[in-house]
Amino acid sequence: MLTVGVLGPLEVRRDGRPLSVPSGRTTEVLVRLALDAGQLVSAERLIDDLWGAAAAGTGRNTLQSKVSQLRRALGDPALVSSGHGGYTLALDAGRVDALRAVSLAADASAARRSGDPASAMEAATEALGLFRGEVLVDAGDGEWLHPHRARLDEVRLGLLEDQAAARVDLGGGAELLAELEWLLGQHPLREGLWASYITALYRAGRQADALAACQRVRRLLVDELGIEPGTALRDLEIQILRQSATLDTAPAAAGTAAPALVVGNLPALSTPLVGRADDLAAVGRLLDSSRLVTLVGPAGVGKTRTALEAVRSLHPGGGVWLVRLEVADEATSILQLVSEALQLTGGEQALLDRFAGTETVLVLDNCEHVIDGAAELATRLLDRAPPLRILTTSQAPLGVDGETVYTVDPLPLADSVTLFADRAARMRRRFALDDDTTATVESVCRSLDGLPLAIELAAARVKSLSVQEIARRLDDRFTLLQDPTSRRPERRRALAAAIAWSYDLLFPDDQRGLWALSCFSGGAPLAAAEHVLTALGVPDSSAVDVIGRLADRSMLSVETAEDGTTRYRLLDSIRAFAAGRLEVAGQVDDAGAAHAAWFAQAAERCAATVRGRAQPDCLALVRAERANIDSALAWAAARDPELGLRLANGFGWTWVVLGDGVAGAARVRNALEAARDHATPRDQATGLLLAGWLEASAGNVDQAQDDLDGAMAVAERLGDDRLRADAERHLAFLRIQQGRPQDVLELAGRSVASYRRLDLPWETAASLLLGAFGSIMLGDTVSATRSATEAVRHLTPIEDSWGLVHAEAMLGAVANAEHRFADAATALTRAAELSERLGFVGQAALHLTTLGRVQQRSGAPDQAADTLARAIQAATTGGDLRIAATARIHLARTLRGVGDEGTARILLEENDRWYRASGGGDGALLTRCLLAALSLEQGTGEAAVQDLRTVLDEARRHQDLETQTLALDALAHAAAARGDQPGAARLLEDADGLHAQVRHTLDDADRFDARVAREAPLRR
């Protein structure tokens, strides 16, 4: 069932669910058809009405396109039917609020004339409830609207008169006076309202006032319109003079409850409220159960709009009254402001009498700067006027007994985009979201934290700027986000003014709290915030109170993680404002230095503890504070390079554990460059060691070689055995990436000897694990097992989870080399799961890669393919592109084995491009060999043979037995294809001899080309 609402912002619902109709002409077509629902409206009439002066140049095709858009929006083409040269909205008139209101108005008038005030009141009350603001507000500004708006406004006024008269007819008297006075203040020339008011005065025992009112209305009508009052008012005056019994209170009809008049002073909404359905429902429930509700939230979040919309549907007998306190100060009498809003004289007693007499809702807006006065008045009124309910908006709670506080949060992204699009379409009629603009609008809305005021101000700029230009100018958001043409108060038309209003209400220490928090990116832990607060002159004992007051005033958000840690975050706009005030105060460097110093201290703690039981704490800190660490590094690079290198070196191994290869290497190298002329040789060497490891893990082996050679040179120059052993250990890791196992064993062995002499158990274990890897590469499983087992003995008491998982995986690799595939899968599955659980993304990718190879070798290709796809995803996410390349090699071999040569070739080609760009290394030759072998099957034999010969020569130089074996197999395949069976047999004999030495890594099933070459004579 479809309903259409036009007595306010356009509202279209289908079975109670709101529908979105494109703004502009499409909406106008709907409104125009709705006003004649169920009746044919000719195409000519539609074009003349909606296009106005441009109608002559507007064809029916244009109208048809808008109708098509409307049908799609409504979800049922049959709802807009065509025929006989026009269109019909196939709705019963009662489904359009405007037509329903007109019908009810006629019913109300007829009921009054027939002497049935109860029915008149019921019909008028229902009809007035349909009016939600300015009528036809979304229908544009065409001339065709003028008579419709005038008619509907007149209908509403007539309903007000009929409702008031019906209530008087039902016996209303003194309790109606305040409401009728307000209505007459709004509509002083409505004789029906005057008649009800005069009758109510008489029934209240105020005959003289009633007669005076008769004289007042006579003068008003003569002065304004040049006419005398009508017959009804003249007859009423005579009845009052005669004290006619007909004016006495009439009994209400049995069972009839007289509803309140639609009174109050709520402004009509000029634009619809977007995205607050849940908030409105929640506030409505709170107002049902609590007499004092306070909406809190940051400046610009939409507290006032939400409050007004929440009470708009309420119809208490005493009305809903809005009192704006933004102009008040400590010297202002809030009681007087409330009395003036209700047009009451007589001070507090008159106000109490008014509120005590009938149920009333009072909205006190913007209480934050007069909280004490607002709280005192609210307490007094609620204590002495039980029917009263109060809704307040403030950036901080009033803090009185019985208060219920509701936080209005920024809009979620989807609603933010909808709000931007709606407001932009009102500024520029042709504005519409498409794929390109949607992404940019989402970025803008995220930058503006979902603050409705900021989003509306940004959307207003579409009159002169594209969405992309708006996004680019957000760096200077306070210049951009203002509307100089608006007549609203400054704090409602400029984001900076809105925030300044809140900022100026803060204590000096609280302002410094905002300065301190503006230094943090993505929020701050309490200890770091306290450190910066102290540097800005806030006493240690006051820091927590400052944070608490800022949270109470909605200036910051408090986020508590699952582990119980708390972070304090500023909205980006508040952060930018506070940063500007910090700069004006001349304390940017003080705050930046304190911020960087706190993270440098944290880095030194991590450097000392990340290899032990405190490892999870270090990892959690670095994950949570990535943005802050980057900010501290940037500040230090410009102002204190030595501190920056301390930061990078301190966090460096934590980045290794996290698998943060690319980004981690960049951070360390930038810090090294900035501190080039300042750092000590030892600090430089430490940075080079970390950069080299991170570069090697990310696949940049050439840069890693340069870094580690530089570190070794420093160690030799200083004659430092510990530093030399560290350089050897890191070089051993690099040699693994380069596929040079003999060098791995030599370097790892030398470093192990040094570490044992220096009694460094963690370093000893790390080198033993590297040596174990080298042994695996050479097929020496006995040595690999011995080294890995000893490493576990060293690591267990240290409680280095990362190292222990590597040791577990190493034992799995030994089982793989020994063809104990079930044991290998068990160990590697456990290692991968533990790595994922601990957040070791790069390590998880490595173990998944090895596990996938084990599954392939054990004859489970489907399982292997799934595992290797996970490994590639994990490695890519973690930035460990060399592991991703290794996983692609294994996946390509798996897919070739099941006949999917096409996907295998795509994977190998991607690998080849990556290895060429990254300086080669372990896997580069194997990739080229496998790619050339695939080319044999695709008819590029001669070129492939030449590639294979080149690969074979290089593999012999590097003693890469696996690649030599597979290259010889592929050359045998090519020889057999040419019919050279003797040549193929010689090549296979050589390959078989090499294979005997690498059976720990290469299976018969991997030798696809050997099988093809051996089967060639049989096929002939």
Side-chain angles (χ1 to χ4, degrees):
M1 180 178 68
L2 188 77
T3 59
V4 178
V6 297
L7 298 178
L10 179 67
E11 185 178 83
V12 183
R13 293 181 177 272
R14 186 167 187 176
D15 298 328
R17 181 175 57 85
L19 300 180
S20 176
V21 178
S23 58
R25 297 283 191 225
T26 305
T27 288
E28 293 173 22
V29 169
L30 173 59
V31 173
R32 182 62 187 85
L33 292 174
L35 291 174
D36 284 308
Q39 301 180 41
L40 179 73
V41 182
S42 70
E44 288 80 3
R45 170 53 57 198
L46 286 169
I47 293 172
D48 286 345
D49 283 352
L50 302 184
W51 275 267
T58 302
R60 290 195 175 211
N61 288 342
T62 302
L63 174 61
Q64 175 61 43
S65 71
K66 301 303 177 185
V67 171
S68 297
Q69 290 180 13
L70 177 58
R71 286 168 170 162
R72 287 195 296 274
L74 298 181
D76 183 358
L79 287 169
V80 184
S81 61
S82 59
H84 304 290
Y87 297 93
T88 302
L89 183 64
L91 276 187
D92 181 80
R95 301 300 178 192
V96 178
D97 60 357
L99 304 184
R100 174 66 176 159
V102 170
S103 174
L104 288 168
D107 292 344
S109 180
R112 274 203 67 213
R113 288 195 303 271
S114 66
D116 184 359
S119 296
M121 184 176 58
E122 181 180 353
T125 301
E126 181 184 347
L128 287 167
L130 298 174
F131 287 82
R132 297 171 287 110
E134 182 182 348
V135 299
L136 307 177
V137 66
D138 287 329
D141 53 8
E143 292 185 4
W144 72 275
L145 285 165
H146 299 335
H148 290 283
R149 283 177 174 152
R151 179 171 67 100
L152 291 171
D153 285 340
E154 180 61 29
V155 166
R156 181 171 181 273
L157 289 175
L159 285 165
L160 287 170
E161 286 185 324
D162 283 340
Q163 187 192 50
R167 194 167 183 189
V168 169
D169 291 345
L170 288 168
E175 72 277 9
L176 302 179
L177 290 174
E179 301 158 5
L180 288 167
E181 284 172 356
W182 180 82
L183 284 172
L184 284 170
Q186 303 296 309
H187 311 289
L189 302 179
R190 303 295 296 196
E191 293 189 39
L193 293 176
W194 279 105
S196 297
Y197 177 61
I198 292 167
T199 304
L201 282 172
Y202 180 83
R203 287 188 180 159
R206 298 166 58 182
Q207 182 178 354
D209 288 339
L211 290 171
C214 291
Q215 296 304 313
R216 228 168 88 209
V217 65
R218 176 178 289 107
R219 286 194 302 272
L220 182 64
L221 292 173
V222 169
D223 292 344
E224 294 292 329
L225 303 177
I227 61 173
E228 288 286 332
T231 303
L233 277 178
R234 293 199 303 271
D235 290 347
L236 178 59
E237 183 177 15
I238 293 171
Q239 288 178 308
I240 291 171
L241 289 170
R242 293 176 177 174
Q243 298 184 5
S244 172
T246 60
L247 295 178
D248 292 340
T249 301
T256 301
L261 294 171
V262 181
V263 294
N265 64 343
L266 293 184
L269 287 181
S270 58
T271 54
L273 185 64
V274 173
R276 292 295 186 193
D278 291 344
D279 293 316
L280 294 177
V283 174
R285 289 192 295 270
L286 292 177
L287 285 170
D288 285 341
S289 60
S290 176
R291 296 180 60 212
L292 175 59
V293 177
T294 297
L295 305 189
V296 299
V301 81
K303 299 182 294 294
T304 299
R305 290 290 301 272
T306 303
L308 293 180
E309 192 66 13
V311 299
R312 194 174 300 282
S313 60
L314 303 179
H315 302 291
V320 181
W321 299 89
L322 170 66
V323 183
R324 297 191 186 274
L325 301 181
E326 57 194 11
V327 297
D329 57 29
E330 302 234 347
T332 303
S333 168
I334 300 177
L335 185 145
Q336 182 63 31
L337 291 178
V338 175
S339 297
E340 290 173 358
L342 274 73
Q343 302 176 8
L344 289 177
T345 59
E348 181 174 352
Q349 190 56 51
L351 195 61
L352 289 170
D353 290 344
R354 170 69 175 78
F355 288 146
T358 184
E359 184 183 6
T360 306
V361 174
L362 180 64
V363 181
L364 300 178
D365 187 35
N366 295 305
C367 297
E368 53 269 0
H369 59 302
V370 287
I371 281 184
D372 291 343
E376 180 187 359
L377 178 64
T379 301
R380 225 162 52 234
L381 293 177
L382 291 170
D383 285 347
R384 299 172 62 185
L388 177 65
R389 286 177 287 168
I390 299 178
L391 175 64
T392 73
T393 72
S394 177
Q395 288 173 18
L398 300 190
V400 301
D401 290 343
E403 178 186 28
T404 300
V405 178
Y406 183 83
T407 300
V408 181
D409 292 318
L411 291 173
L413 182 60
D415 290 335
S416 297
V417 172
T418 300
L419 176 63
F420 186 101
D422 179 87
R423 301 306 188 254
R426 294 172 188 277
M427 295 295 108
R428 197 174 77 208
R429 295 175 71 93
R430 296 183 182 277
F431 178 87
L433 291 177
D434 55 29
D435 291 343
D436 292 335
T437 56
T438 296
T440 306
V441 169
E442 287 178 350
S443 175
V444 168
C445 291
R446 274 192 293 266
S447 296
L448 298 178
D449 304 300
L451 281 179
L453 174 62
I455 292 168
E456 290 182 336
L457 291 170
R461 290 292 187 178
V462 301
K463 289 184 290 186
S464 56
L465 297 175
S466 70
V467 171
Q468 290 75 15
E469 288 168 329
I470 291 170
R472 285 193 293 271
R473 291 171 181 264
L474 283 180
D475 286 343
D476 186 17
R477 66 180 62 199
F478 296 122
T479 299
L480 177 74
L481 301 180
Q482 56 179 315
D483 185 358
T485 64
S486 173
R487 295 183 180 180
R488 294 187 296 175
E490 185 182 11
R491 57 186 290 251
R492 299 184 187 276
R493 57 181 167 85
L495 182 61
I499 298 174
W501 164 271
S502 306
Y503 176 88
D504 291 341
L505 297 175
L506 300 176
F507 295 127
D509 278 358
D510 297 354
Q511 292 177 347
R512 288 185 175 86
L514 288 183
W515 300 354
L517 290 167
S518 73
C519 300
F520 292 86
S521 301
L526 179 59
E530 288 178 308
H531 186 81
V532 181
L533 276 165
T534 301
L536 293 178
V538 176
D540 290 346
S541 59
S542 300
V544 174
D545 292 335
V546 166
I547 297 293
R549 286 195 296 269
L550 290 174
D552 285 343
R553 281 196 165 268
S554 307
M555 298 298 284
L556 61 81
S557 60
V558 181
E559 301 172 356
T560 303
E562 291 181 1
D563 61 2
T565 57
T566 303
R567 294 181 68 75
Y568 303 93
R569 188 187 303 271
L570 297 181
L571 297 178
D572 280 351
S573 295
I574 295 177
R575 180 171 174 248
F577 181 91
R581 293 302 176 98
L582 176 62
E583 185 173 1
V584 171
Q587 292 194 267
V588 171
D589 281 345
D590 295 335
H595 176 271
W598 190 88
F599 283 101
Q601 294 167 9
E604 289 169 355
R605 290 194 302 273
C606 283
T609 61
V610 70
R611 296 169 177 84
R613 68 184 61 181
Q615 187 178 88
D617 296 334
C618 295
L619 301 182
L621 172 73
V622 170
R623 285 194 193 101
E625 305 300 341
R626 286 182 194 275
N628 277 317
I629 292 169
D630 286 341
S631 294
L633 285 168
W635 183 91
R639 296 173 177 81
D640 191 346
E642 290 179 81
L643 181 71
L645 188 55
R646 279 173 49 207
L647 265 161
N649 286 349
F651 285 128
W653 195 255
T654 306
W655 292 327
V656 168
V657 174
L658 287 172
D660 207 1
V662 174
R667 294 183 185 106
V668 177
R669 293 189 60 75
N670 290 340
L672 281 166
E673 178 62 27
R676 182 173 48 187
D677 299 328
H678 306 279
T680 66
R682 182 174 297 282
D683 283 344
Q684 285 186 328
T686 300
L688 288 168
L689 287 171
L690 289 165
W693 188 294
L694 289 161
E695 294 282 9
S697 71
N700 192 349
V701 292
D702 290 341
Q703 182 63 62
Q705 184 70 62
D706 291 344
D707 291 340
L708 297 178
D709 286 346
M712 180 63 82
V714 174
E716 297 290 357
R717 189 167 66 250
L718 295 176
D720 188 323
D721 289 345
R722 162 70 185 275
L723 196 55
R724 184 185 297 109
D726 288 344
E728 289 168 344
R729 173 165 54 89
H730 286 234
L731 281 166
F733 176 69
L734 174 60
R735 295 295 182 261
I736 291 173
Q737 315 307 315
Q738 294 171 325
R740 296 162 60 179
Q742 201 61 55
D743 291 348
V744 174
L745 290 177
E746 181 182 339
L747 289 162
R750 289 207 301 265
S751 62
V752 165
S754 297
Y755 289 142
R756 281 179 172 148
R757 188 172 62 255
L758 296 168
D759 191 24
L760 297 171
W762 183 91
E763 288 77 2
T764 301
S767 289
L768 284 168
L769 286 176
L770 293 171
F773 203 105
S775 296
I776 288 290
M777 294 171 74
L778 292 171
D780 183 358
T781 58
V782 174
S783 295
T785 302
R786 184 171 59 249
S787 295
T789 303
E790 184 181 351
V792 170
R793 283 204 308 272
H794 288 297
L795 290 171
T796 299
I798 297 172
E799 299 184 42
D800 177 359
S801 300
W802 182 79
L804 286 167
V805 171
H806 267 304
E808 173 90 24
M810 186 58 63
L811 294 173
V814 169
N816 179 36
E818 294 176 345
H819 290 219
R820 293 184 288 109
F821 297 132
D823 292 342
T826 299
L828 290 165
T829 299
R830 190 163 56 240
E833 290 175 349
L834 185 57
S835 296
E836 290 175 332
R837 188 161 65 249
L838 294 172
F840 305 151
V841 179
Q843 194 174 1
L846 172 63
H847 303 326
L848 286 169
T849 299
T850 310
L851 175 61
R853 175 67 172 147
V854 167
Q855 291 166 337
Q856 179 209 357
R857 297 183 73 189
S858 66
D862 292 342
Q863 194 176 12
D866 290 342
T867 300
L868 291 166
R870 285 174 56 205
I872 293 169
Q873 178 64 42
T876 304
T877 300
D880 203 329
L881 303 183
R882 188 163 292 276
I883 292 177
T886 302
R888 281 195 292 270
I889 290 174
H890 294 332
L891 182 56
R893 290 205 283 198
T894 301
L895 294 175
R896 187 183 180 195
V898 297
D900 188 357
E901 290 88 356
T903 306
R905 169 174 283 278
I906 291 171
L907 290 166
L908 292 169
E909 287 174 342
E910 182 180 354
N911 255 23
D912 189 46
R913 288 192 296 271
W914 184 83
Y915 278 121
R916 291 179 188 277
S918 302
D922 184 35
L925 271 179
L926 182 56
T927 293
R928 288 168 56 193
C929 178
L930 296 174
L931 194 54
L934 273 176
S935 297
L936 291 174
E937 300 177 0
Q938 298 189 354
T940 56
E942 197 53 47
V945 167
Q946 185 56 49
D947 287 344
L948 287 165
R949 287 172 179 156
T950 301
V951 167
L952 180 60
D953 290 342
E954 291 186 36
R956 283 169 173 162
R957 282 200 306 275
H958 290 96
Q959 299 181 338
D960 183 346
L961 300 184
E962 181 179 359
T963 301
Q964 288 180 59
T965 302
L966 295 176
L968 288 167
D969 285 347
L971 288 169
H973 177 181
R978 294 193 307 269
D980 182 6
Q981 297 304 326
R986 286 193 301 274
L987 291 165
L988 288 173
E989 183 179 0
D990 291 345
D992 291 343
L994 293 172
H995 184 209
Q997 303 175 59
V998 291
R999 284 191 174 275
H1000 59 287
T1001 61
L1002 190 67
D1003 298 329
D1004 289 334
D1006 295 321
R1007 298 180 65 192
F1008 310 110
D1009 295 293
R1011 289 199 305 275
V1012 173
R1014 289 190 172 100
E1015 293 169 0
L1018 299 176
R1019 289 197 297 271
R1020 291 178 182 277

